Amino acid sequence: MLEAKRQAKLVAARRRYEQVMEQHPKLWEIEQQLVALYRQKVMREPGFVSQRWEQQVRKLEAQRQAYLRQVGIPEDFAEPQWDCDLCQDTGLYEGKMCTCEQQRILESRFRGAHLPSRLQEQTFSRFSLDWYSPVKKTPLGNTEREQAVAVLHACQAFVAAVMEDPRSATGLFLTGQSGLGKTFLCSAICHSLAESNIVPLYIVFSDLISDMRASFQQDSGDADLLAIARQAPVLILDDLGAEHVTEYAVSRLFDIINYRRNERLPMVISSNLSLADVERIYDTRIASRILEACQPVTLYGTDIRAQQRKLGLG
Ligand SMILES: [Zn+2]
């Protein structure tokens, strides 16, 4: 199945190449000259001088690049359009199951276990400190921007620690009012980990609960999904506190957090709630397990989406 899709992409890439060559004789001519040069090198034909050869190749490649730009064809037009550049859609990377395949397996189990497409762009390098005031003070005494820098560094340090040794990585309890970039940072953590071939289970807490509850009510029960949430190498639980708090949700939350703390499996929990709120709304035991497993970090500021709307960006 995977292989058939790959083959189709390779064929499509080949066809694209042929079409472009047919429509652009000038490009075809450059290609032919390049092919001839490469043949010369391989065959070491008489008169081959490597320095001259390199000059000619560079010149032709520059011509090709300029031509493609002029007619508006992307330089990689002949490359297959892989869903995953890491494994080129083989599902294997460096002899192990690729992140994309692990992610597919997770998504086949949890409806909610994927980063919505609008979150795909959210990486550490795109996290903007401009969203946080350089003058307004937080209750901690620093400015909102200084605090955002500290939180960003804590997130990056978490990723580095997981890559070094997941069992000794302290988790994060990321708090702050809504619209301050918590989901952005969760998403950036996921992307960073995925680049190192670690697939976290990223899920909004209310989705986790509704997926589990749906399977709980069927004959199969929710044991499978519970096991995945307990044992995922990294769990990113986004937006705790936005769901309807039920006894079921509280008991599953405790189970997952308690299990992961005992097994030293790293997690990031984001929430609009403070730890005191968690204690009040959920359970003292949940708040204390979170505190044992996670370093609390808080963002302060003004709703980013509201700021963007004001500037006409949102
Ligand atoms: Zn892949």
Side-chain angles (χ1 to χ4, degrees), residues 45-241:
E45 285 174 6
F48 177 82
V49 184
S50 119
Q51 214 182 350
R52 213 180 100 216
W53 183 88
E54 268 167 33
Q55 273 174 9
Q56 286 174 312
V57 168
R58 261 204 302 276
K59 197 176 139 204
L60 284 166
E61 277 174 349
Q63 278 178 18
R64 176 169 63 179
Q65 201 179 17
Y67 183 84
L68 287 173
R69 200 171 302 151
Q70 189 195 331
V71 294
I73 297 174
E75 260 179 72
D76 62 351
F77 74 96
E79 302 291 326
Q81 306 292 301
W82 303 120
D83 291 333
C84 175
D85 288 327
L86 217 53
C87 69
Q88 303 198 331
D89 299 2
T90 57
L92 281 174
Y93 180 64
E94 291 179 343
K96 282 193 278 187
M97 193 190 283
C98 183
T99 32
C100 67
E101 183 66 13
Q102 296 176 43
Q103 186 69 40
R104 258 193 297 280
I105 293 172
L106 272 184
E107 284 173 18
S108 69
R109 309 306 301 274
F110 283 105
R111 236 171 357 105
H114 59 88
L115 290 168
S117 55
R118 72 181 171 85
L119 303 186
Q120 302 282 353
E121 309 259 285
Q122 300 181 335
T123 57
F124 283 131
S125 59
R126 293 191 191 208
F127 184 78
S128 172
L129 293 167
D130 296 344
W131 298 324
Y132 307 89
S133 165
V135 278
K136 273 199 214 151
K137 296 275 184 184
T138 76
L140 307 170
N142 54 0
T143 66
E144 289 174 359
R145 187 168 297 173
E146 283 163 349
Q147 181 59 15
V149 171
V151 173
L152 173 64
H153 287 170
C155 292
Q156 289 171 322
F158 172 78
V159 171
V162 168
M163 275 159 23
E164 176 105 12
D165 174 14
R167 302 241 162 193
S168 64
T170 305
L172 290 174
F173 182 62
L174 184 54
T175 62
Q177 289 162 12
S178 35
L180 291 185
K182 297 190 299 296
T183 293
F184 194 115
L185 287 171
C186 285
S187 174
I189 289 172
C190 287
H191 291 303
S192 260
L193 289 172
E195 278 167 21
S196 316
N197 214 18
I198 299 172
V199 175
L201 171 61
Y202 167 89
I203 194 157
V204 172
F205 184 60
S206 57
D207 290 342
L208 172 71
I209 289 303
S210 67
D211 280 1
M212 284 177 58
R213 206 181 173 88
S215 64
F216 180 65
Q217 284 158 347
Q218 292 161 2
D219 299 339
S220 55
D222 64 357
D224 272 13
L225 299 187
L226 184 63
I228 296 174
R230 277 170 155 188
Q231 292 162 16
V234 180
L235 174 68
I236 316 274
L237 212 50
D238 199 9
D239 217 2
L240 173 70

